[in-house]
Coordinates of all heavy atoms in Angstrom, one line a residue:
I98 N 127.8 114.6 118.3 CA 127.0 114.3 117.1 C 127.6 113.2 116.2 O 126.8 112.5 115.6 CB 126.7 115.7 116.3 CG1 125.5 115.4 115.4 CG2 127.9 116.2 115.6 CD1 124.9 116.6 114.8
G99 N 128.9 113.2 116.2 CA 129.5 112.2 115.4 C 129.2 110.7 115.8 O 128.9 109.9 115.0
D100 N 129.3 110.5 117.1 CA 129.0 109.2 117.7 C 127.5 108.9 117.6 O 127.1 107.8 117.1 CB 129.3 109.1 119.2 CG 130.8 109.2 119.4 OD1 131.6 108.8 118.5 OD2 131.2 109.6 120.6
K101 N 126.7 109.9 117.7 CA 125.2 109.6 117.6 C 124.8 109.3 116.2 O 124.0 108.4 115.9 CB 124.4 110.9 118.1 CG 124.4 110.9 119.6 CD 123.5 112.1 120.1 CE 123.5 112.1 121.6 NZ 122.6 113.1 122.1
S102 N 125.5 110.1 115.2 CA 125.1 109.8 113.9 C 125.6 108.4 113.4 O 125.0 107.8 112.5 CB 125.6 110.9 113.0 OG 127.0 111.1 113.0
L103 N 126.7 108.0 114.0 CA 127.2 106.6 113.6 C 126.3 105.6 114.1 O 126.0 104.6 113.4 CB 128.7 106.5 114.2 CG 129.3 105.1 113.9 CD1 129.4 104.8 112.4 CD2 130.7 105.1 114.6
T104 N 125.9 105.7 115.4 CA 124.9 104.8 116.0 C 123.6 104.7 115.2 O 123.1 103.7 114.9 CB 124.7 105.2 117.5 OG1 125.9 105.1 118.2 CG2 123.6 104.2 118.1
F105 N 123.2 105.9 114.8 CA 122.0 106.0 114.0 C 122.1 105.3 112.6 O 121.2 104.6 112.2 CB 121.6 107.5 113.8 CG 120.2 107.7 113.1 CD1 119.0 107.4 113.8 CD2 120.2 108.1 111.8 CE1 117.8 107.6 113.1 CE2 119.0 108.3 111.1 CZ 117.8 108.0 111.8
A106 N 123.2 105.5 112.0 CA 123.5 104.8 110.7 C 123.5 103.3 110.9 O 123.0 102.6 110.0 CB 124.8 105.3 110.1
K107 N 124.0 102.8 112.0 CA 124.0 101.4 112.2 C 122.5 100.9 112.4 O 122.2 99.8 111.8 CB 124.8 101.1 113.5 CG 126.3 101.2 113.3 CD 127.0 101.0 114.7 CE 128.4 101.3 114.6 NZ 129.1 101.1 115.9
R108 N 121.7 101.6 113.1 CA 120.3 101.2 113.3 C 119.5 101.3 112.0 O 118.7 100.5 111.7 CB 119.7 102.1 114.3 CG 120.2 101.9 115.7 CD 119.5 102.6 116.8 NE 118.2 102.0 117.0 CZ 117.2 102.5 117.7 NH1 117.4 103.6 118.3 NH2 116.1 101.9 117.8
I109 N 119.8 102.3 111.2 CA 119.2 102.4 109.8 C 119.6 101.3 109.0 O 118.7 100.7 108.2 CB 119.6 103.8 109.2 CG1 118.8 105.0 109.9 CG2 119.2 103.8 107.7 CD1 117.4 105.0 109.8
S110 N 120.9 100.9 109.0 CA 121.3 99.7 108.2 C 120.6 98.4 108.7 O 120.2 97.7 107.8 CB 122.8 99.6 108.4 OG 123.5 100.6 107.9
L111 N 120.4 98.2 109.9 CA 119.7 97.0 110.5 C 118.2 97.2 110.0 O 117.6 96.1 109.7 CB 119.8 97.0 111.9 CG 121.1 96.6 112.5 CD1 121.1 96.7 114.0 CD2 121.6 95.2 112.1
C112 N 117.6 98.4 110.0 CA 116.2 98.6 109.6 C 116.1 98.2 108.1 O 115.2 97.5 107.7 CB 115.8 100.0 109.8 SG 114.1 100.3 109.4
Y113 N 117.1 98.6 107.3 CA 117.1 98.3 105.9 C 117.1 96.8 105.6 O 116.3 96.3 104.9 CB 118.4 98.9 105.2 CG 118.6 98.5 103.8 CD1 117.8 98.8 102.7 CD2 119.6 97.5 103.6 CE1 118.0 98.4 101.5 CE2 119.8 97.0 102.3 CZ 119.0 97.5 101.2 OH 119.3 97.0 100.0
V114 N 118.0 96.1 106.3 CA 118.1 94.6 106.2 C 116.7 94.0 106.6 O 116.3 93.1 105.9 CB 119.2 94.1 107.0 CG1 119.2 92.5 107.1 CG2 120.5 94.5 106.5
F115 N 116.1 94.4 107.7 CA 114.8 94.0 108.1 C 113.8 94.2 107.0 O 113.0 93.2 106.7 CB 114.4 94.6 109.4 CG 113.0 94.3 109.8 CD1 112.7 93.0 110.4 CD2 112.0 95.2 109.6 CE1 111.3 92.8 110.7 CE2 110.7 94.9 110.0 CZ 110.4 93.7 110.5
L116 N 113.7 95.4 106.6 CA 112.7 95.7 105.6 C 112.9 94.9 104.3 O 111.9 94.4 103.7 CB 112.7 97.2 105.2 CG 112.2 98.1 106.3 CD1 112.5 99.6 106.0 CD2 110.6 98.0 106.6
K117 N 114.1 94.7 103.9 CA 114.4 94.0 102.7 C 114.1 92.5 102.8 O 113.4 91.9 102.0 CB 115.8 94.3 102.3 CG 116.2 93.7 100.9 CD 117.6 94.0 100.5 CE 118.0 93.3 99.3 NZ 119.4 93.3 99.0
E118 N 114.7 91.9 103.9 CA 114.6 90.5 104.0 C 113.3 90.0 104.6 O 112.8 88.9 104.2 CB 115.8 90.0 104.9 CG 117.2 90.2 104.1 CD 118.3 89.7 105.0 OE1 118.1 89.2 106.1 OE2 119.5 89.8 104.5
K119 N 112.8 90.7 105.6 CA 111.6 90.2 106.3 C 110.3 90.7 105.7 O 109.3 90.0 105.7 CB 111.6 90.6 107.8 CG 112.8 90.0 108.5 CD 112.7 88.6 108.7 CE 113.9 88.0 109.6 NZ 114.1 86.7 109.6
K120 N 110.3 91.9 105.2 CA 109.1 92.5 104.6 C 109.1 92.5 103.1 O 108.1 92.9 102.4 CB 108.9 93.9 105.1 CG 108.8 94.0 106.6 CD 107.5 93.4 107.1 CE 107.3 93.6 108.6 NZ 105.9 93.4 109.0
G121 N 110.2 92.2 102.4 CA 110.3 92.2 101.0 C 110.2 93.6 100.4 O 109.8 93.8 99.2
E122 N 110.4 94.7 101.1 CA 110.4 96.0 100.6 C 111.8 96.5 100.2 O 112.7 96.4 100.9 CB 109.8 96.9 101.8 CG 109.2 98.3 101.3 CD 110.2 99.1 100.5 OE1 111.3 99.4 101.0 OE2 109.8 99.5 99.4
T123 N 111.9 97.0 99.0 CA 113.2 97.4 98.5 C 113.3 98.9 98.1 O 114.3 99.5 98.3 CB 113.6 96.6 97.2 OG1 112.6 96.8 96.2 CG2 113.7 95.2 97.6
V124 N 112.3 99.5 97.6 CA 112.4 100.9 97.1 C 112.5 101.9 98.2 O 113.5 102.7 98.3 CB 111.2 101.2 96.2 CG1 111.3 102.7 95.7 CG2 111.1 100.3 95.0
M125 N 111.6 101.9 99.1 CA 111.6 102.9 100.2 C 112.8 102.6 101.2 O 113.4 103.5 101.7 CB 110.3 102.9 101.0 CG 109.1 103.4 100.2 SD 107.6 103.5 101.1 CE 107.2 101.7 101.3
S126 N 113.1 101.3 101.4 CA 114.2 101.0 102.3 C 115.5 101.5 101.8 O 116.4 101.9 102.5 CB 114.2 99.5 102.6 OG 114.4 98.7 101.4
K127 N 115.7 101.4 100.4 CA 117.0 102.0 99.8 C 117.0 103.5 100.0 O 118.1 104.0 100.3 CB 117.0 101.6 98.3 CG 117.4 100.2 98.1 CD 117.5 99.9 96.6 CE 117.8 98.4 96.4 NZ 117.9 98.1 94.9
Q128 N 115.9 104.2 99.9 CA 115.9 105.6 100.1 C 116.3 105.9 101.6 O 117.1 106.8 101.8 CB 114.5 106.1 99.8 CG 114.2 106.2 98.3 CD 115.0 107.2 97.6 OE1 115.9 106.8 96.9 NE2 114.6 108.4 97.7
L129 N 115.7 105.1 102.4 CA 116.0 105.3 103.9 C 117.5 105.0 104.2 O 118.1 105.8 104.9 CB 115.1 104.4 104.7 CG 115.3 104.4 106.3 CD1 114.9 105.7 106.8 CD2 114.5 103.3 106.9
L130 N 118.0 104.0 103.6 CA 119.4 103.7 103.8 C 120.4 104.8 103.3 O 121.3 105.2 104.0 CB 119.8 102.4 103.1 CG 121.2 101.8 103.3 CD1 121.5 101.5 104.7 CD2 121.5 100.7 102.3
H131 N 120.0 105.3 102.2 CA 120.8 106.3 101.6 C 120.9 107.6 102.5 O 121.9 108.1 102.8 CB 120.4 106.7 100.2 CG 121.1 107.8 99.5 ND1 122.4 107.6 99.1 CD2 120.7 109.1 99.3 CE1 122.8 108.8 98.6 NE2 121.8 109.7 98.8
C132 N 119.7 108.1 102.7 CA 119.7 109.3 103.5 C 120.0 109.2 105.0 O 120.7 110.1 105.6 CB 118.3 110.1 103.4 SG 116.9 109.2 103.8
G133 N 119.6 108.0 105.5 CA 120.0 107.8 106.9 C 121.4 107.6 107.3 O 121.9 108.0 108.3
T134 N 122.2 107.1 106.3 CA 123.6 106.9 106.5 C 124.4 108.1 106.1 O 125.5 108.4 106.5 CB 124.1 105.7 105.8 OG1 123.8 105.7 104.4 CG2 123.6 104.4 106.4
S135 N 123.8 108.9 105.2 CA 124.4 110.2 104.7 C 124.6 111.2 105.8 O 125.5 112.1 105.7 CB 123.6 110.7 103.6 OG 124.1 111.9 103.0
I136 N 123.7 111.2 106.8 CA 123.8 112.1 107.9 C 125.2 112.1 108.5 O 125.9 113.1 108.6 CB 122.8 111.9 109.0 CG1 121.3 112.0 108.4 CG2 122.9 112.8 110.2 CD1 120.2 111.4 109.3
G137 N 125.6 110.9 109.0 CA 126.9 110.8 109.6 C 128.1 111.0 108.7 O 129.1 111.6 109.1
A138 N 127.9 110.7 107.4 CA 129.0 110.9 106.5 C 129.2 112.4 106.3 O 130.4 112.9 106.2 CB 128.6 110.3 105.1
N139 N 128.1 113.2 106.3 CA 128.3 114.7 106.2 C 128.8 115.3 107.5 O 129.6 116.2 107.4 CB 127.0 115.3 105.7 CG 126.7 115.2 104.3 OD1 127.4 115.8 103.4 ND2 125.9 114.3 103.9
V140 N 128.4 114.8 108.6 CA 129.0 115.2 109.9 C 130.4 115.0 109.9 O 131.2 115.8 110.3 CB 128.3 114.5 111.1 CG1 129.0 114.8 112.4 CG2 126.8 115.0 111.1
R141 N 130.9 113.8 109.5 CA 132.3 113.5 109.5 C 133.1 114.4 108.5 O 134.2 114.8 108.8 CB 132.5 112.0 109.0 CG 133.9 111.4 109.0 CD 134.5 111.2 110.3 NE 133.8 110.3 111.2 CZ 134.0 109.0 111.3 NH1 134.9 108.4 110.6 NH2 133.3 108.3 112.1
E142 N 132.5 114.6 107.3 CA 133.1 115.6 106.4 C 133.3 117.0 107.1 O 134.3 117.6 106.9 CB 132.3 115.7 105.1 CG 132.6 114.6 104.2 CD 131.9 114.9 102.8 OE1 132.3 115.9 102.2 OE2 131.1 114.1 102.4
G143 N 132.3 117.4 107.8 CA 132.3 118.7 108.5 C 133.3 118.7 109.5 O 133.9 119.9 109.7
Q144 N 133.7 117.6 110.1 CA 134.7 117.6 111.2 C 136.1 118.0 110.6 O 137.0 118.4 111.2 CB 134.8 116.2 111.9 CG 133.6 116.0 112.7 CD 133.7 114.6 113.3 OE1 134.2 113.7 112.7 NE2 133.0 114.4 114.5
Y145 N 136.2 117.7 109.2 CA 137.5 118.1 108.6 C 137.3 119.2 107.5 O 138.1 119.2 106.5 CB 138.0 116.8 107.9 CG 138.3 115.6 108.8 CD1 137.4 114.7 109.1 CD2 139.5 115.7 109.6 CE1 137.6 113.6 110.0 CE2 139.7 114.7 110.5 CZ 138.8 113.6 110.7 OH 139.1 112.7 111.6
A146 N 136.4 120.0 107.8 CA 136.1 121.2 107.0 C 137.3 122.1 106.7 O 138.1 122.2 107.7 CB 134.9 121.9 107.4
Q147 N 137.4 122.6 105.6 CA 138.5 123.5 105.4 C 138.3 124.9 105.8 O 139.2 125.7 105.9 CB 138.8 123.6 103.8 CG 139.2 122.2 103.3 CD 139.4 122.2 101.8 OE1 139.0 123.2 101.1 NE2 140.0 121.2 101.3
S148 N 137.0 125.3 106.2 CA 136.7 126.6 106.6 C 135.4 126.5 107.4 O 134.7 125.5 107.4 CB 136.5 127.6 105.4 OG 135.4 127.1 104.7
K149 N 135.1 127.6 108.1 CA 133.8 127.7 108.8 C 132.6 127.6 107.8 O 131.6 126.9 108.1 CB 133.8 129.0 109.6 CG 132.6 129.1 110.5 CD 132.6 130.4 111.3 CE 131.4 130.5 112.2 NZ 131.4 131.6 113.1
K150 N 132.8 128.2 106.7 CA 131.7 128.1 105.7 C 131.5 126.7 105.2 O 130.4 126.3 105.1 CB 132.0 129.0 104.5 CG 131.0 129.1 103.5 CD 131.4 130.1 102.3 CE 130.4 130.1 101.3 NZ 130.7 131.0 100.1
D151 N 132.6 126.0 105.0 CA 132.5 124.6 104.6 C 131.9 123.8 105.7 O 131.0 122.9 105.4 CB 133.9 124.1 104.2 CG 133.9 122.7 103.7 OD1 132.9 122.3 103.0 OD2 134.9 121.9 103.9
F152 N 132.2 124.0 106.9 CA 131.7 123.3 108.1 C 130.2 123.5 108.1 O 129.4 122.6 108.2 CB 132.3 123.8 109.4 CG 131.6 123.2 110.6 CD1 131.9 121.9 111.1 CD2 130.8 124.0 111.4 CE1 131.3 121.4 112.2 CE2 130.1 123.5 112.5 CZ 130.4 122.2 112.9
I153 N 129.7 124.7 108.0 CA 128.3 125.1 108.1 C 127.5 124.4 106.9 O 126.5 123.8 107.1 CB 128.1 126.6 108.1 CG1 128.6 127.2 109.4 CG2 126.6 126.9 107.8 CD1 128.7 128.7 109.4
S154 N 128.2 124.4 105.8 CA 127.5 123.7 104.6 C 127.3 122.2 104.8 O 126.2 121.7 104.6 CB 128.4 123.9 103.3 OG 127.9 123.2 102.3
K155 N 128.3 121.6 105.3 CA 128.2 120.1 105.6 C 127.2 119.8 106.7 O 126.4 118.9 106.6 CB 129.6 119.5 106.0 CG 130.6 119.6 105.1 CD 130.3 118.9 103.8 CE 131.5 119.0 102.8 NZ 131.1 119.0 101.4
M156 N 127.1 120.7 107.7 CA 126.1 120.4 108.8 C 124.7 120.7 108.2 O 123.8 120.0 108.6 CB 126.4 121.3 110.0 CG 127.7 121.0 110.7 SD 127.7 119.4 111.4 CE 129.0 118.7 110.5
N157 N 124.6 121.6 107.3 CA 123.2 121.9 106.7 C 122.8 120.7 105.8 O 121.7 120.4 105.8 CB 123.3 123.2 105.9 CG 123.0 124.4 106.8 OD1 122.3 124.3 107.8 ND2 123.7 125.5 106.5
I158 N 123.8 120.2 105.1 CA 123.4 119.0 104.3 C 123.0 117.8 105.2 O 122.1 117.1 104.9 CB 124.6 118.6 103.4 CG1 124.9 119.7 102.3 CG2 124.4 117.2 102.8 CD1 126.2 119.5 101.6
A159 N 123.7 117.6 106.4 CA 123.4 116.6 107.3 C 122.0 116.8 107.8 O 121.2 115.9 108.0 CB 124.4 116.5 108.5
L160 N 121.6 118.1 108.1 CA 120.3 118.4 108.6 C 119.2 118.1 107.5 O 118.2 117.5 107.9 CB 120.2 119.9 109.0 CG 118.9 120.4 109.5 CD1 118.4 119.7 110.7 CD2 119.0 121.9 109.7
K161 N 119.5 118.4 106.3 CA 118.5 118.1 105.2 C 118.4 116.6 105.1 O 117.2 116.1 104.9 CB 119.1 118.7 103.9 CG 118.9 120.2 103.8 CD 119.5 120.7 102.4 CE 119.5 122.1 102.4 NZ 120.0 122.6 101.1
E162 N 119.4 115.8 105.2 CA 119.4 114.3 105.1 C 118.6 113.8 106.3 O 117.9 112.8 106.1 CB 120.8 113.7 105.1 CG 121.6 114.1 103.8 CD 121.0 113.4 102.5 OE1 120.2 112.5 102.6 OE2 121.4 114.0 101.5
A163 N 118.7 114.5 107.5 CA 118.0 114.0 108.6 C 116.5 114.3 108.4 O 115.6 113.4 108.7 CB 118.4 114.8 109.8
G164 N 116.1 115.4 107.7 CA 114.7 115.6 107.4 C 114.1 114.6 106.4 O 113.0 114.2 106.6
E165 N 115.0 114.3 105.4 CA 114.5 113.3 104.5 C 114.4 111.9 105.2 O 113.4 111.2 104.9 CB 115.5 113.2 103.3 CG 115.1 112.2 102.3 CD 115.9 112.1 101.0 OE1 116.9 112.9 100.9 OE2 115.7 111.2 100.2
T166 N 115.3 111.6 106.0 CA 115.2 110.3 106.8 C 113.9 110.2 107.6 O 113.2 109.2 107.6 CB 116.4 110.2 107.7 OG1 117.6 110.2 107.0 CG2 116.4 108.8 108.5
D167 N 113.6 111.3 108.2 CA 112.4 111.4 109.0 C 111.2 111.2 108.1 O 110.2 110.5 108.5 CB 112.3 112.8 109.7 CG 111.1 112.9 110.6 OD1 110.9 112.0 111.5 OD2 110.4 113.9 110.6
Y168 N 111.2 111.8 106.9 CA 110.1 111.6 105.9 C 109.9 110.1 105.6 O 108.8 109.6 105.6 CB 110.3 112.4 104.7 CG 109.4 112.1 103.6 CD1 108.1 112.6 103.6 CD2 109.8 111.2 102.5 CE1 107.2 112.2 102.6 CE2 108.9 110.9 101.5 CZ 107.6 111.4 101.5 OH 106.7 111.1 100.5
W169 N 111.0 109.5 105.2 CA 110.9 108.0 104.8 C 110.5 107.2 106.0 O 109.7 106.2 105.8 CB 112.2 107.6 104.2 CG 112.4 108.1 102.8 CD1 113.3 109.0 102.4 CD2 111.6 107.8 101.7 NE1 113.2 109.3 101.0 CE2 112.0 108.6 100.6 CE3 110.4 107.0 101.5 CZ2 111.5 108.5 99.3 CZ3 109.9 107.0 100.2 CH2 110.4 107.8 99.1
L170 N 111.0 107.5 107.2 CA 110.5 106.7 108.3 C 109.0 106.9 108.5 O 108.2 105.9 108.8 CB 111.2 107.1 109.6 CG 112.7 106.6 109.7 CD1 113.4 107.3 110.9 CD2 112.7 105.1 109.9
D171 N 108.5 108.1 108.3 CA 107.0 108.3 108.4 C 106.3 107.5 107.3 O 105.2 106.9 107.6 CB 106.7 109.8 108.2 CG 107.0 110.6 109.5 OD1 107.1 110.0 110.6 OD2 107.0 111.9 109.3
V172 N 106.8 107.5 106.1 CA 106.1 106.8 105.0 C 106.2 105.3 105.3 O 105.1 104.7 105.1 CB 106.8 107.1 103.6 CG1 106.3 106.2 102.5 CG2 106.6 108.6 103.2
I173 N 107.2 104.8 105.7 CA 107.4 103.4 105.9 C 106.5 103.0 107.1 O 105.8 101.9 107.1 CB 108.8 103.0 106.2 CG1 109.6 103.1 104.9 CG2 109.0 101.6 106.7 CD1 111.2 103.1 105.0
H174 N 106.5 103.8 108.1 CA 105.6 103.5 109.3 C 104.1 103.5 108.9 O 103.4 102.6 109.3 CB 105.9 104.5 110.4 CG 105.1 104.2 111.6 ND1 104.0 105.0 111.9 CD2 105.3 103.4 112.6 CE1 103.5 104.5 113.1 NE2 104.3 103.6 113.6
S175 N 103.7 104.5 108.2 CA 102.3 104.6 107.8 C 101.9 103.6 106.8 O 100.7 103.3 106.6 CB 102.0 106.1 107.3 OG 102.7 106.3 106.1
S176 N 102.9 103.0 106.1 CA 102.6 101.9 105.1 C 102.5 100.5 105.9 O 102.4 99.5 105.2 CB 103.7 101.8 104.1 OG 103.7 103.0 103.4
T177 N 102.7 100.6 107.2 CA 102.6 99.4 108.1 C 103.8 98.5 107.9 O 103.7 97.3 108.3 CB 101.3 98.7 108.0 OG1 101.1 98.0 106.7 CG2 100.1 99.6 108.3
Y178 N 104.9 98.9 107.3 CA 106.0 98.0 107.2 C 106.7 98.0 108.6 O 107.4 97.0 108.9 CB 107.0 98.5 106.2 CG 106.6 98.2 104.8 CD1 106.2 99.1 103.9 CD2 106.7 96.8 104.3 CE1 105.8 98.8 102.6 CE2 106.3 96.5 103.0 CZ 105.9 97.5 102.2 OH 105.5 97.2 100.9
L179 N 106.6 99.1 109.3 CA 107.2 99.2 110.7 C 106.1 99.6 111.6 O 105.2 100.4 111.3 CB 108.3 100.3 110.8 CG 109.6 100.0 110.0 CD1 110.5 101.2 110.1 CD2 110.2 98.8 110.6
S180 N 106.1 99.0 112.8 CA 105.1 99.4 113.8 C 105.8 100.1 115.0 O 107.0 100.3 115.0 CB 104.4 98.1 114.4 OG 105.3 97.3 115.0
D181 N 105.0 100.7 115.9 CA 105.6 101.4 117.0 C 106.4 100.5 117.8 O 107.4 100.8 118.3 CB 104.5 101.9 117.9 CG 103.8 103.1 117.2 OD1 104.2 103.6 116.3 OD2 102.6 103.4 117.7

């Protein structure tokens, strides 16, 4: 999950640059960048958790950030900034 979340963060970063530079969109793209890169950051924190409870907490935060990322991708896609 660490490698996948890092790869995902890179793709989200590229998407942010595209939306900002090519489409002129700044508000939604910043939201997407924040939550999309936060997934991996929380996974990484979880890898160094001090306890099982701390690990579970970090993974749950990563899951919430993934849900928010999915939401912003839906909004951006339905706003026609991104196509299939």
Side-chain angles (χ1 to χ4, degrees):
I98 192 168
D100 291 339
K101 286 183 177 185
S102 61
L103 179 60
T104 300
F105 185 73
K107 290 176 186 176
R108 293 187 71 190
I109 288 294
S110 297
L111 292 173
C112 183
Y113 168 76
V114 170
F115 171 79
L116 289 168
K117 185 177 174 193
E118 293 180 1
K119 301 292 185 192
K120 299 290 186 169
E122 201 300 306
T123 58
V124 176
M125 292 182 288
S126 60
K127 284 182 184 177
Q128 291 290 103
L129 179 66
L130 179 67
H131 176 74
C132 57
T134 57
S135 180
I136 299 165
N139 281 289
V140 168
R141 181 73 57 93
E142 281 189 58
Q144 290 174 330
Y145 298 99
Q147 296 176 350
S148 65
K149 185 175 181 178
K150 184 177 178 181
D151 187 31
F152 173 79
I153 291 169
S154 175
K155 298 300 183 209
M156 292 300 118
N157 278 322
I158 293 169
L160 179 60
K161 289 178 183 182
E162 295 292 344
E165 184 178 349
T166 302
D167 186 50
Y168 170 78
W169 285 114
L170 286 169
D171 283 344
V172 170
I173 291 167
H174 182 261
S175 66
S176 300
T177 67
Y178 284 109
L179 293 176
S180 62
D181 292 340

